[in-house]
Amino acid sequence: QRLNVVAMAKKVTKKVEVVLSKDVANVGTVGEVKKVTLGHAKNFLIPNGLAEPVTEQVMSKIKAEQERAAAAKEAEKENANKIKTALNMVKNFNIKKEANDENTYGSVTFGEVFEVVKKQTGIELSQDSLDMPAMKELGVFTVTANLHKEVQAEFTITVQKA
């Protein structure tokens, strides 16, 4: 009698390390070193320019790029702190509006706040950075400027009768 012997090959998942050049869904983001299957790397990621094989040259390039990005973020934060200091030095801005005894004719707009801040400090604020309450009456209002993720400046707007 003959015995038929079937040798089953164990499925081996061969993985290779790649550095992602672009964001790839379900894999990772730019600059990350990821282990992916050899087939995925050779057939999809590398030919489409989404990843590069890990080498010393690529790693040094990525490290230099990360240092440059960190320095740019730090410079942006430092600039936001300078703007905050300038806003805190003036602290109070006056806007004159046509009004009766307590209500203005129309509310104070971003454009008016922008002009007053620019005139007194020389700083140009973006509209999306300001958290302004509705200013439809005479009085003092607090405005928050979100200058950076970690830097906020508060200043007051005094609405006066013209």
Side-chain angles (χ1 to χ4, degrees), residues 14 36-45:
K14 294 183 180 177
V36 294
T37 58
L38 184 62
H40 189 55
K42 280 186 171 181
N43 298 326
F44 179 70
L45 296 174

Side-chain angles (χ1 to χ4, degrees), residues 62-85:
I62 287 174
K63 188 174 182 178
E65 200 171 293
Q66 287 173 341
E67 288 172 357
R68 197 172 327 123
K73 283 183 181 180
E74 190 61 35
E76 187 178 307
K77 185 177 176 182
E78 191 174 307
N79 187 35
N81 280 324
K82 287 179 184 177
I83 293 171
K84 179 181 178 178
T85 303

Side-chain angles (χ1 to χ4, degrees), residues 77-95:
K77 185 177 176 182
E78 191 174 307
N79 187 35
N81 280 324
K82 287 179 184 177
I83 293 171
K84 179 181 178 178
T85 303
L87 288 173
N88 285 338
M89 289 185 81
V90 176
K91 196 72 173 162
N92 190 20
F93 299 91
N94 296 320
I95 294 179

Side-chain angles (χ1 to χ4, degrees), residues 12 40-41 56-57 62 67 75 77 83 89 92 98 101 106 112 116 119 122 124 140 142 144-145 149 153 162:
V12 178
H40 189 55
E56 286 297 319
Q57 185 180 9
I62 287 174
E67 288 172 357
K77 185 177 176 182
I83 293 171
M89 289 185 81
N92 190 20
E98 291 292 326
D101 290 336
E112 292 169 317
V116 168
K119 190 182 294 183
E124 292 186 11
V140 178
T142 302
T144 304
K149 289 179 189 175

